C-alpha cells in the first residue's frame, strides 16, 4: 500500500527511482511523484494516474540529480490527484517527504500548525508531518535527523518515510513504524524501498529497518541507525535471495497469467525438502523448535485477510480432519478488535502473502501480548510478519506481483496440508495407509495442476460466453466451500462482476432468489464425499434456469448430463481437491477480466499489500 523508492549515490537518481516505482506499482497506482535534488534545488514532479503518466510528463523537465525520492500512491487522505500525490514539500521548500501509512493524529497537528501560520496545499496527513518536521528544525535549529526524530515522537499511527533536503545532497533520512522499509547498500550508493524488488538489480545487501528506527544515510559517513528514542543501533546486513527474473513477465501478457502458470513449480518449491516419500515423512524446519507445542495445541486460531483468509478456511478443514485439533478462522481485522479469548495451549497461525498486512500484524501483536505461540505462513522472506512470529514456514511461491493472489494461495494451502499431515502423523490421528496415500497424492499435485492448465483454451471459450454477466454465484461444499469463496473473490477483484461464494447447500436460504437464465453459477462438483448432495444443488439451479459451469472429476458423466459446461480436473484425494479446483477459477476470472478490458494486474481501488487498517 503505497510504494516508496529512494536513491543516493553517483548515478542519476530519476531513472532508478522511476524504474523502482514501476516495480512497486502493485502496492498502489492512483498517482505518483518524484523529487530530485538537482544542484541544491528540489525538482518536484507529480502526476495523477499510473507511473507511466509521470514518466511521460517528466519528459519535458530537467530531472537530473544524484539523490531522489519517489512514491506511488494508494489514496487514504484526500482524492488521488496531482496535489495530493507525494512527495510533499515543507512550507519553506527546503525538504521533500514521501510517506506510506497513516498519521492518525494528523487533524489535531494540522490545526495547531495552521494556528501557528502554516499553510497547506494538499489534504494529506503526509504534508502535516512534513510541516511538523520543518517547524522543529526551524525553531530549534537542529539537524534534519533530529527534526525527524522529534516529530516522530509526536505522531501516532503508521509510517514509512524518506526525506531529502535541498541544502544537502549527500544525505537522506528514512524511518519506519508498522510500514515496511528496506535499505539497499551498494558501492558508494544506497537505495531505500518499501520492499526489495526495486533494489535487487543493484545490490543483494540489505538492511530491513525495524519499527521505531530511523536511518541516516550519508555519502560521507554511510548508513547509521538510531531509534526514535535516540538509541544507536548497529545495522544488520542481510543477503537477498530474490532473483531479478522472478520480477519480470517472462513473455506472458500479464503477471497474473504468469503466476497462474507458475503453480506447478511454486507448489513443488513449497514442498521441496519438506515432503519425503522415501521415508514417508513431512518436515517443516521453521517450526521444529515449537513442534511439541503445536502438536499438543488445544486449539488453533488462524488469522488472515483476503485470499489468505480463504486459505485459512481450507486449513481449518485440513487440520480438523487430519490433525483433529479444533480450529477457528478469523479475519485479522475482527480478531484484533474483539477482545479474543486466548488460552494456554492455543497456537495462533497467521497467514499472509506479503507479510506486511497491517491488520494481520496487529492481530499477531495482540495474540503475543496474551501469551499465544505464533506460527507464521508468509511468502515474502524477511517481511515484518515473518520476523514477528515465533516460528513459521515460508511458502516459497516466489514474488507475486499481480494484485489478485493466485500462486500464493495454492502455496499457502500446500503448507497447511503439510502442517496437518505433520501434526496428524505425530498425534497418530491419521492411519498410516491414509497418510502415505495423501503424501503420494500431494507429491503428484504439480503434475495435476499442469494437466488442468491445459484446459486454458476451453476455459477461455467458456469465459467468452459469460463475460457480460453482472452477477455470478460460486458454490462448493466441505473443503471446497473456501474454493468457491476464493473463486468469487477473484472474479470480483479483477472483472468487477458482482460475485458471491456460498456453501452449496446454503444457496436455498437466499442466493437462490437471484438465479435466472442470465446467471452463471460456478460449482465445484468433484467426486468426493458430498458429490451426490452437490448434484442435487445443481438440479435446483437448473430447475430455475441458471447456467451451470461445473468443475468435475475427469470421467464424470452425471454432472456432464445436466450442467451447461464442465471443466474436468484429475482425481485426487478429497483433502487435496482445493489445490487443483482453484486453477480453473483463476483462469476463468483472468480471461473474463481481460475480455472486459480490465487491468488485471492493477485492478481499480485495490492494492497488493495493505499496510493500513
Ligand atoms: C490485499 C490483496 C489480497 C490479499 C490481502 C491479504 O487485499 O489485494 O490479494 O489476499 O491483501 O494480504 P496478505 O499479504 O496478508 O496475504
Amino acid at each position: 500500500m503505497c510504494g516508496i523508492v529512494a536513491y543516493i549515490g553517483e548515478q542519476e537518481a530519476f531513472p532508478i527511482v522511476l524504474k523502482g516505482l514501476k516495480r512497486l506499482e502493485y502496492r498502489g497506482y492512483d498517482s505518483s511523484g518524484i523529487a530530485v535534488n538537482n544542484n541544491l534545488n528540489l525538482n518536484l514532479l507529480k502526476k495523477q494516474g499510473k507511473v507511466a503518466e509521470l514518466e511521460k510528463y517528466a519528459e519535458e523537465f530537467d530531472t537530473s540529480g544524484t539523490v531522489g525520492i519517489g512514491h506511488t500512491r494508494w489514496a487514504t487522505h484526500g482524492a488521488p490527484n496531482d496535489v495530493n500525490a507525494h512527495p510533499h514539500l515543507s512550507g519553506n521548500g527546503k525538504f521533500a517527504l514521501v510517506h506510506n501509512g497513516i498519521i492518525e493524529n494528523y487533524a489535531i497537528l494540522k490545526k495547531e500548525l495552521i494556528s501557528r501560520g502554516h499553510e497547506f496545499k494538499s489534504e494529506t496527513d503526509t504534508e502535516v508531518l512534513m510541516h511538523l518536521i520543518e517547524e522543529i528544525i526551524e525553531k530549534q535549529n537542529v539537524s534534519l535527523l533530529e527534526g525527524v526524530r522529534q516529530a516522530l515522537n509526536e505522531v501516532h499511527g503508521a509510517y514509512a518515510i524518506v526525506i531529502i533536503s535541498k541544502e544537502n545532497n549527500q544525505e537522506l533520512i528514512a524511518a519506519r513504524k508498522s510500514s515496511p522499509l528496506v535499505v539497499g547498500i551498494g558501492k558508494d550508493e544506497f537505495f531505500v524501498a518499501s520492499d526489495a524488488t526495486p533494489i535487487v538489480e543493484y545490490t543483494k545487501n540489505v538492511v530491513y529497518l525495524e519499527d521505531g528506527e530511523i536511518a541516516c544515510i550519508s555519502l560521507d559517513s554511510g548508513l547509521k541507525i538510531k531509534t526514535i528514542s535516540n538509541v544507536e543501533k548497529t545495522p544488520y546486513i542481510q543477503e537477498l535471495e530474490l532473483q531479478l527474473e522472478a520480477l519480470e513477465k517472462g513473455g506472458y501478457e500479464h503477471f497474473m497469467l504468469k503466476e497462474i502458470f507458475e503453480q506447478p513449480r511454486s507448489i513443488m518449491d513449497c514442498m521441496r525438502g519438506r515432503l519425503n516419500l522415501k521415508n514417508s515423512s513431512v518436515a517443516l524446519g521453521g517450526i521444529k523448535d515449537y513442534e511439541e507445542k503445536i502438536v499438543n495445541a488445544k486449539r488453533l486460531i488462524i488469522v488472515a485477510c483476503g485470499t489468505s483468509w480463504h486459505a485459512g478456511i481450507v486449513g481449518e478443514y485440513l487440520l480438523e480432519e487430519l490433525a483433529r485439533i479444533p480450529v477457528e478462522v478469523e479475519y485479522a481485522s475482527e480478531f484484533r478488535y474483539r477482545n479474543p479469548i486466548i488460552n494456554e495451549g492455543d497456537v495462533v497461525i497467521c497467514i499472509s502473502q506479503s507479510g506486511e498486512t497491517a491488520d494481520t500484524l496487529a492481530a499477531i501483536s495482540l495474540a503475543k501480548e496474551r501469551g499465544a505461540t505464533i506460527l507464521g505462513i508468509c511468502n515474502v522472506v524477511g517481511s515484518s510478519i515473518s520476523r514477528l512470529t515465533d516460528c513459521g514456514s515460508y511458502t516459497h511461491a516466489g514474488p507475486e506481483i499481480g494484485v489478485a493472489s493466485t500462486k500464493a494461495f495454492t502455496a499457502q494451502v500446500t503448507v497447511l496440508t503439510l502442517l496437518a499431515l505433520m501434526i496428524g502423523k505425530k498425534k497418530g490421528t491419521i492411519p498410516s495407509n491414509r497418510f502415505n496415500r495423501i503424501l503420494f497424492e500431494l507429491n503428484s499435485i504439480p503434475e495435476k495442476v499442469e494437466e488442468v492448465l491445459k484446459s486454458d483454451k476451453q476455459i477461455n471459450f467458456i469465459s467468452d460466453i459469460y463475460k457480460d454477466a453482472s452477477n455470478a454465484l460460486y458454490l462448493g461444499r466441505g473443503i471446497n466451500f473456501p474454493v468457491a469463496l476464493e473463486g468469487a473473490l477473484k472474479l470480483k477483484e479483477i472483472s468487477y462482476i458482482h460475485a458471491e461464494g456460498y456453501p452449496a447447500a446454503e444457496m436455498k436460504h437466499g442466493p437462490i432468489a437471484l438465479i435466472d437464465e442470465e446467471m452463471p453459477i460456478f460449482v465445484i462438483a468433484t467426486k468426493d464425499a458430498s458429490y451426490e448432495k452437490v448434484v442435487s444443488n445443481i438440479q435446483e439451479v437448473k430447475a430455475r434456469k441458471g447456467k451451470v459451469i461445473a468443475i468435475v472429476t475427469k470421467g464424470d458423466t452425471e454432472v456432464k448430463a445436466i450442467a451447461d459446461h464442465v471443466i474436468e480436473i484429475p482425481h485426487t484425494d478429497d483433502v487435496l481437491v482445493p489445490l487443483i479446483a482453484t486453477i480453473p477459477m483463476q483462469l476463468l476470472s483472468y480471461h473474463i477480466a481481460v475480455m472486459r478490458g480490465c487491468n488485471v494486474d492493477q485492478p481499480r481501488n485495490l492494492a497488493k499489500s495493505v499496510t493500513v487498517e
Side-chain angles (χ1 to χ4, degrees):
M1 185 143 292
C2 297
I4 287 178
V5 190
Y7 174 80
I8 184 164
E10 287 167 357
Q11 303 187 58
E12 281 299 301
F14 188 86
I16 294 174
V17 173
L18 188 79
K19 194 168 183 193
L21 290 182
K22 284 185 182 163
R23 291 224 190 277
L24 286 184
E25 213 169 5
Y26 67 87
R27 300 178 68 90
Y29 32 80
D30 57 43
S31 55
S32 61
I34 295 179
V36 181
N37 184 327
N38 173 11
N39 228 352
L40 306 185
N41 222 339
L42 287 180
N43 282 346
L44 181 66
L45 295 164
K46 310 204 284 187
K47 208 71 209 138
Q48 182 180 343
K50 300 265 156 63
V51 177
E53 302 290 323
L54 176 71
E55 185 174 20
K56 229 190 291 152
Y57 172 67
E59 280 168 11
E60 296 171 26
F61 296 91
D62 174 17
T63 55
S64 58
T66 53
V67 52
I69 55 176
H71 186 269
T72 175
R73 182 167 185 247
W74 186 87
T76 57
H77 294 63
N81 57 31
D82 294 357
V83 177
N84 288 330
H86 301 210
H88 289 281
L89 291 179
S90 56
N92 59 14
K94 284 189 189 168
F95 306 102
L97 171 77
V98 286
H99 166 221
N100 169 24
I102 292 179
I103 305 298
E104 284 164 4
N105 56 337
Y106 88 104
I108 298 176
L109 292 170
K110 189 170 183 176
K111 218 167 145 194
E112 290 168 3
L113 286 160
I114 290 173
S115 73
R116 296 196 291 270
H118 287 258
E119 283 175 19
F120 292 92
K121 295 193 172 78
S122 76
E123 300 154 85
T124 62
D125 50 341
T126 306
E127 198 184 6
V128 174
L129 176 59
M130 183 66 268
H131 279 245
L132 182 65
I133 295 170
E134 171 192 8
E135 190 179 80
I136 294 168
I137 294 173
E138 293 291 307
K139 276 200 179 146
Q140 302 184 28
N141 195 19
V142 289
S143 67
L144 174 58
L145 173 63
E146 181 57 16
V148 169
R149 193 189 71 76
Q150 288 193 26
L152 293 181
N153 277 292
E154 287 187 39
V155 301
H156 310 151
Y159 53 78
I161 58 166
V162 187
I163 180 163
I164 54 172
S165 149
K166 179 177 166 173
E167 289 165 356
N168 183 359
N169 61 5
Q170 300 294 297
E171 177 188 270
L172 59 80
I173 306 288
R176 76 155 269 177
K177 187 182 156 218
S178 308
S179 285
L181 216 49
V182 190
V183 180
I185 305 172
K187 193 177 170 303
D188 301 322
E189 60 183 0
F190 296 88
F191 308 81
V192 183
S194 299
D195 65 39
T197 54
I199 297 178
V200 65
E201 57 197 286
Y202 307 103
T203 176
K204 295 253 172 189
N205 294 327
V206 295
V207 173
Y208 290 93
L209 289 189
E210 299 286 343
D211 270 353
E213 285 185 350
I214 311 174
C216 178
I217 301 169
S218 153
L219 288 181
D220 304 324
S221 47
L223 167 67
K224 295 225 160 83
I225 295 180
K226 63 160 64 173
T227 66
I228 61 169
S229 31
N230 224 358
V231 178
E232 304 275 339
K233 298 280 283 284
T234 312
Y236 170 57
I237 302 175
Q238 299 184 42
E239 196 169 327
L240 283 177
E241 282 174 18
L242 194 64
Q243 297 302 324
L244 188 57
E245 307 78 71
L247 306 175
E248 312 278 350
K249 279 191 203 149
Y252 286 90
E253 203 180 327
H254 297 101
F255 279 112
M256 182 178 175
L257 191 62
K258 175 190 171 221
E259 287 156 9
I260 292 173
F261 273 82
E262 271 174 359
Q263 288 173 107
R265 189 197 49 75
S266 54
I267 295 174
M268 183 70 92
D269 286 347
C270 181
M271 296 191 295
R272 184 163 294 124
R274 294 169 168 174
L275 182 157
N276 191 328
L277 277 188
K278 267 199 199 127
N279 58 14
S280 197
S281 67
V282 169
L284 290 166
I287 62 168
K288 220 169 176 0
D289 296 347
Y290 287 82
E291 212 170 272
E292 218 185 298
K293 229 173 180 169
I294 295 162
V295 169
N296 296 316
K298 299 247 164 16
R299 187 173 62 142
L300 299 171
I301 304 169
I302 301 181
V303 291
C305 304
T307 290
S308 299
W309 184 77
H310 294 156
I313 307 181
V314 180
E316 177 182 21
Y317 283 92
L318 285 164
L319 288 155
E320 292 199 339
E321 167 76 14
L322 303 176
R324 306 303 297 152
I325 303 177
V327 181
E328 279 174 31
V329 189
E330 290 261 7
Y331 283 118
S333 54
E334 289 298 312
F335 177 82
R336 60 183 292 198
Y337 285 119
R338 64 161 189 82
N339 196 11
I341 299 165
I342 295 175
N343 299 311
E344 211 184 310
D346 286 350
V347 171
V348 171
I349 302 178
C350 54
I351 309 176
S352 174
Q353 186 286 127
S354 62
E356 302 294 347
T357 303
D359 285 320
T360 312
L361 267 167
I364 296 171
S365 304
L366 177 68
K368 264 193 136 172
E369 259 168 49
R370 302 200 175 180
T373 298
I374 318 282
L375 186 163
I377 299 177
C378 287
N379 193 35
V380 177
V381 177
S383 55
S384 303
I385 293 179
S386 67
R387 284 179 288 139
L388 203 62
T389 49
D390 297 305
C391 60
S393 291
Y394 283 117
T395 44
H396 297 307
E400 191 180 64
I401 313 282
V403 165
S405 186
T406 52
K407 63 174 180 172
F409 174 76
T410 44
Q412 288 164 344
V413 172
T414 305
V415 169
L416 287 159
T417 311
L418 291 167
L419 183 67
L421 285 168
M422 186 279 281
I423 303 175
K425 184 164 190 189
K426 287 249 147 72
K427 283 185 73 171
T429 48
I430 318 175
S432 67
N433 55 350
R434 180 151 195 229
F435 178 89
N436 292 340
R437 212 173 46 235
I438 299 176
L439 210 61
F440 183 78
E441 273 298 321
L442 184 57
N443 192 53
S444 69
I445 288 293
E447 264 166 57
K448 294 188 174 175
V449 169
E450 195 81 65
E451 200 178 324
V452 182
L453 289 168
K454 291 195 182 122
S455 315
D456 187 38
K457 268 215 174 91
Q458 185 213 356
I459 295 174
N460 189 52
F461 174 80
I462 297 173
S463 305
D464 194 36
I465 301 172
Y466 297 102
K467 65 177 187 299
D468 298 319
S470 346
N471 294 291
L473 203 56
Y474 284 74
L475 304 176
R477 292 190 85 145
I479 199 164
N480 291 316
F481 158 53
V483 177
L485 290 177
E486 177 58 10
L489 178 68
K490 279 304 75 100
L491 189 72
K492 71 183 134 196
E493 276 180 319
I494 59 170
S495 72
Y496 319 138
I497 295 174
H498 170 238
E500 290 189 45
Y502 258 85
E506 273 294 305
M507 176 185 68
K508 56 187 169 296
H509 299 293
I512 200 163
L514 300 169
I515 297 175
D516 58 18
E517 54 276 359
E518 303 292 315
M519 174 96 149
I521 291 117
F522 300 93
V523 189
I524 300 126
T526 45
K527 278 263 164 65
D528 55 32
S530 45
Y531 177 71
E532 293 304 334
K533 305 278 175 207
V534 175
V535 173
S536 306
N537 299 137
I538 294 177
Q539 296 284 15
E540 290 158 14
V541 172
K542 285 316 296 173
R544 284 148 190 95
K545 300 198 167 60
K547 298 281 185 285
V548 172
I549 303 100
I551 293 168
V552 299
T553 310
K554 206 167 168 183
D556 181 287
T557 49
E558 207 175 332
V559 174
K560 209 171 195 170
I562 48 173
D564 296 84
H565 308 274
V566 294
I567 301 166
E568 291 191 333
I569 62 171
H571 179 269
T572 188
D573 191 281
D574 286 9
V575 294
L576 303 179
V577 173
L579 284 170
I580 33 184
T582 305
I583 313 295
M585 303 285 194
Q586 297 169 345
L587 286 168
L588 277 161
S589 308
Y590 171 79
H591 290 301
I592 290 176
V594 170
M595 288 167 189
R596 288 166 71 96
C598 301
N599 184 339
V600 288
D601 282 339
Q602 294 170 350
R604 72 179 177 211
N605 303 338
L606 297 179
K608 180 96 193 134
S609 174
V610 181
T611 54
V612 295
E613 270 192 47

